[in-house]
Amino acid sequence: MEIGKVGIVGAGQMGNGIAHVFALSGYNVILNDISEDALSAAVRQIEGNLERQVTREKITTDARQEALERISTTLKLPDLGQSDLIIEAATERETIKTAIFEDLMPHLAPHTILTSNTSSISITRLASRTDRPEKFMGFHFMNPVPIMELVELIRGIATDEETFKSCLAVVDRLGKTAASAEDFPAFIVNRILMPMINEAVYTLYEGVGSVSSIDSSLKLGANHPMGPLALADFIGLDTCLAIMNVLHDGLADTKYRPCPLLTKYVEAGWLGRKSKRGFYDYRQDPPVPTR
């Protein structure tokens, strides 16, 4: 199926990045959120990111303007119903995602493909709550979306081949690389990445090393571009905890038990960069460790 119009649910960090890359690749995008402020902030973020690409000579001024003209916004979820492809990029909570799909269903065109940008939740289970499990799959972008080249494509047990091929063609058109993952908790990237981050938090919790020494060790000793605790702050500690809980619950293995210190930070509202405090305090420049 030829996909031309794309609906995106959620105008946060992931949603606005997804809108950016789709519009730049020639798709007409309609971006939805429950907050007018969030939509306005998303458009400003997209404008700024496109302008940076112009400055770095990655795109032309004309391409920037054409991309912006392809993006529209709405507070009304039913407005997305006639899209060829819908990507849900809301908060990583299954109840919220399920409610979104249930609200969308009465307004969908027969051919509309539903996808979720979930980083860990069962695609089969999400699909089962819709009227088209065969036209449902996981479409997991990496953050920041305009820069990261990978997209995980996850088929649920009912996803048909036509849906998979349509989404694969979209990834190709976006100029990104698809990795096909089976529908098991956290898929590929987060199945490997989150336990590493969780172990880094345990290393801090047990006093083996400080925030600075842990991050420096992985940057200089393993050639990682960013230390695991700084990366956790970038992702969001609430998201890290949610994914660890999905792994722990879904695989029933104690090696996925979330570190109590990670839970404590989330309980304190110290979620990383987005709340200005996490393993680092971002109210200062440069940020300083909080432990």
Side-chain angles (χ1 to χ4, degrees):
M1 185 185 75
E2 186 67 28
I3 291 172
K5 184 178 180 182
V6 178
I8 299 167
V9 184
Q13 190 174 34
M14 295 303 296
N16 76 62
I18 295 168
H20 173 144
V21 298
F22 270 89
L24 199 56
S25 297
Y27 293 97
N28 293 316
V29 174
I30 179 166
L31 181 61
N32 162 262
D33 201 279
I34 58 174
S35 164
E36 185 67 58
D37 289 344
L39 289 172
S40 298
V43 172
R44 289 194 300 271
Q45 183 73 44
I46 293 167
E47 288 174 343
N49 288 340
L50 286 168
E51 189 56 44
R52 273 190 286 276
Q53 287 181 301
V54 172
T55 301
R56 295 169 183 168
E57 299 183 344
K58 299 290 186 181
I59 62 171
T60 65
T61 301
D62 287 346
R64 171 190 177 276
Q65 189 57 38
E66 288 168 5
L68 289 172
E69 290 172 358
R70 293 189 191 103
I71 299 172
S72 61
T73 62
T74 181
L75 293 169
K76 300 175 182 176
L77 191 62
D79 290 349
L80 275 59
Q82 297 305 300
S83 302
D84 302 314
L85 169 68
I86 293 177
I87 301 172
E88 170 275 312
T91 303
E92 189 71 355
R93 285 171 53 190
E94 188 167 346
T95 53
I96 291 175
K97 295 178 184 295
T98 298
I100 288 168
F101 290 122
E102 288 178 347
D103 289 347
L104 272 169
M105 273 190 293
H107 310 284
L108 297 176
H111 70 279
T112 301
I113 293 173
L114 293 176
T115 67
S116 176
N117 184 57
T118 179
S119 52
S120 60
I121 297 168
S122 168
I123 298 303
T124 297
R125 195 163 61 241
L126 288 174
S128 72
R129 302 297 294 273
T130 75
D131 62 353
R132 59 194 65 205
E134 73 286 349
K135 290 184 177 296
F136 192 109
M137 67 182 303
F139 212 137
H140 181 215
F141 289 84
M142 307 295 122
N143 186 33
V145 180
I147 295 173
M148 301 296 279
E149 297 180 7
L150 184 74
V151 180
E152 284 183 314
L153 293 180
I154 307 101
R155 280 182 273 204
I157 196 169
T159 306
D160 63 26
E161 189 65 18
E162 181 182 358
T163 298
F164 175 76
K165 286 182 177 178
S166 294
C167 290
L168 183 60
V170 169
V171 175
D172 288 342
R173 182 169 161 183
L174 295 177
K176 296 188 182 293
T177 298
S180 182
E182 293 299 316
D183 185 24
F184 289 97
F187 319 129
I188 295 172
V189 173
N190 284 316
R191 172 76 176 264
I192 298 167
L193 175 63
M194 285 302 157
M196 184 198 75
I197 288 175
N198 194 52
E199 193 63 28
V201 183
Y202 266 116
T203 304
L204 177 66
Y205 177 60
E206 293 170 3
V208 179
S210 66
V211 170
S212 297
S213 62
I214 291 166
D215 276 355
S216 295
S217 294
L218 268 294
K219 286 172 66 178
L220 303 178
N223 204 28
H224 290 191
M226 184 183 292
L229 300 176
L231 179 57
D233 277 354
F234 179 75
I235 293 167
L237 303 191
D238 52 340
T239 300
C240 294
L241 179 60
I243 295 170
M244 287 308 302
N245 280 325
V246 167
L247 281 165
H248 191 233
D249 295 343
L251 298 172
D253 192 324
T254 55
K255 72 179 181 179
Y256 298 116
R257 183 172 69 95
C259 179
L261 183 60
L262 178 60
T263 302
K264 190 65 67 180
Y265 268 68
V266 173
E267 288 174 344
W270 292 19
L271 308 181
R273 285 181 178 269
K274 61 186 174 184
S275 66
K276 304 299 182 185
R277 276 191 293 187
F279 294 111
Y280 292 86
D281 187 338
Y282 298 93
R283 299 171 301 175
Q284 303 181 50
D285 189 19
V288 296
T290 54
R291 288 179 74 89

